[in-house]
Amino acid sequence: MPTYDRLTPLELTCHVRAYILYILGCFLVPDTSGCEIHLQWLTMLENYRRFGGLSLGVTVLAQLCRQLSRVVVPTCSTVASCLHLLQIWA
């Protein structure tokens, strides 16, 4: 188990960015194109302290609504959204 108190500030910043990208790509705003995460998030994480001021709830809800409107099309086979949010709401 790694201890984070031994990391340099640069290493800690890299770990924080990697964790934020993991949460975004796996749970909050997943992408069905085969990539783990959309490239737009990388530019937003250049300054991860400023990233904490962003409203991700609106983004997640907007993507969920967009994906649910697309899933009614018979040719749609996947949903790329935070389905945990939908389960909690239901």
Side-chain angles (χ1 to χ4, degrees):
M1 185 66 61
T3 58
Y4 293 106
D5 54 350
R6 296 182 186 168
L7 295 176
T8 66
L10 180 60
E11 291 172 333
L12 184 62
T13 300
C14 290
H15 282 265
V16 169
R17 285 182 181 147
Y19 185 69
I20 291 172
L21 286 174
Y22 174 74
I23 294 297
L24 286 172
C26 291
F27 300 109
L28 296 180
V29 283
D31 191 7
T32 59
S33 68
C35 299
E36 294 295 323
I37 192 164
H38 197 275
L39 290 176
Q40 72 181 3
W41 298 107
L42 292 177
T43 58
M44 292 183 184
L45 279 173
E46 285 180 325
N47 184 356
Y48 75 94
R49 294 182 197 277
R50 190 180 60 180
F51 185 77
L54 297 178
S55 177
L56 292 178
V58 174
T59 305
V60 172
L61 186 60
Q63 184 182 12
L64 178 62
C65 291
R66 188 179 322 114
Q67 289 295 320
L68 289 177
S69 67
R70 289 181 184 167
V71 82
V72 296
V73 178
T75 58
C76 182
S77 62
T78 59
V79 176
S81 188
C82 184
L83 295 179
H84 299 293
L85 179 66
L86 181 62
Q87 289 175 337
I88 291 169
W89 176 75

